[in-house]
Amino acid sequence: MESKGLFARIVNSRTKDKIIIDNMDIWVRVVVRPLSFLVTYPLMRLKMTANLASFISIFISLVGLMMVVVGKKDGVLPAILVFNFWIVFDAVDGNIARTNGTSSKVGTFIDAISGYLYLVVLYIALGLAVYYISDSLEYWSVVVGFITSLMTVFPRLVLQKKNVMFGSDDDDVSSKTSYGWTKMVALNIAGPAGLMNPLMIVAFFTNLLPLYLIFYATIQGVLGMITVATVFKKVLNHAE
């Protein structure tokens, strides 16, 4: 009875806004969140804390990168699977914190660092992966991977700096509950927990990983430039 009670508490721990946000992302709603409940349950039985889960997620993303660096071509598929598992495990710390009522600013900070690191590592690893599976071993994919890595994190740092100095706005990226259809489509296609993860596996088995990298490099580049331009516009408005 206690075991059933714990699992029910995990499933029902999400707030109404959190459920709305989860339901916006098809992959999160159908796969990631349900799997995260299954992963969270045994870890809570082992008394794992939310912060420890966040630190483990940091380790998991680094493992994914090392699989490509060390295993080269043979490490590409294992790395892709690890990155897909990271998406599931990334939800565990929040599940634990909400269930135990231990949410904190420290936990939110560690979780954010884990997410930033994942984005940096992911595209560097994809760039290396395309390089290793290519017969010609051209370096373009490594360069694209590093640039995309930068474009996923730099706009977030610009936005955070703006929020610290000028305060956040209701229409900032973090206010997902107010997303319209355009942002919801972007969230599903380009969001780190969205459809890009199963598509990564499909791209590997269909030998389309180079095209996948180019596609997401373009999307992240465009979204990054839009974010930076929007933030600078708001900052300049504050100065007037």
Side-chain angles (χ1 to χ4, degrees), residues 3-20:
S3 298
K4 292 182 180 180
L6 174 60
F7 189 79
R9 284 170 53 211
I10 294 171
V11 173
N12 296 321
S13 65
R14 292 178 298 168
T15 63
K16 184 180 295 184
D17 283 348
K18 187 63 176 176
I19 293 174
I20 292 174

Side-chain angles (χ1 to χ4, degrees), residues 16-30:
K16 184 180 295 184
D17 283 348
K18 187 63 176 176
I19 293 174
I20 292 174
I21 292 172
D22 283 352
N23 289 344
M24 288 180 179
D25 195 317
I26 296 173
W27 190 245
V28 171
R29 178 180 181 178
V30 175

Side-chain angles (χ1 to χ4, degrees), residues 5 39 68 72 82 87 89 124 126 131 157 167 169 171 209 236:
V39 175
V68 178
K72 297 181 171 57
V82 167
I87 296 300
F89 201 89
I124 292 175
L126 284 173
Y131 169 75
L157 297 178
D169 300 309
D171 59 343
L209 205 57
L236 292 176

Side-chain angles (χ1 to χ4, degrees), residues 72-204:
K72 297 181 171 57
K73 186 175 182 178
D74 293 335
V76 173
L77 179 58
I80 289 175
L81 296 177
V82 167
F83 288 137
N84 271 264
F85 177 71
W86 181 92
I87 296 300
V88 175
F89 201 89
D90 182 53
V92 169
D93 54 0
N95 291 340
I96 294 175
R98 285 187 297 272
T99 302
N100 287 337
T102 56
S103 299
S104 66
K105 290 183 178 180
V106 173
T108 301
F109 175 80
I110 299 172
D111 182 57
I113 295 301
S114 174
Y116 290 160
L117 179 64
Y118 170 75
L119 290 172
V120 171
V121 164
L122 174 64
Y123 286 103
I124 292 175
L126 284 173
L128 290 171
V130 172
Y131 169 75
Y132 286 128
I133 65 176
S134 173
D135 294 330
S136 57
L137 294 180
E138 296 179 357
Y139 285 95
W140 69 264
S141 65
V142 179
V143 175
V144 170
F146 272 91
I147 293 176
T148 308
S149 173
L150 175 64
M151 289 305 297
T152 58
V153 175
F154 178 69
R156 287 171 167 82
L157 297 178
V158 172
L159 177 61
Q160 289 302 319
K161 184 64 175 180
K162 173 259 177 189
N163 289 345
V164 169
M165 296 187 67
F166 300 98
S168 59
D169 300 309
D170 291 337
D171 59 343
D172 279 341
V173 174
S174 58
S175 306
K176 292 182 180 178
T177 53
S178 62
Y179 273 15
W181 282 105
T182 303
K183 288 186 177 181
M184 285 180 61
V185 170
L187 178 69
N188 276 269
I189 296 176
L195 293 172
M196 64 176 291
N197 297 288
L199 289 177
M200 196 189 312
I201 299 175
V202 173
F204 174 83

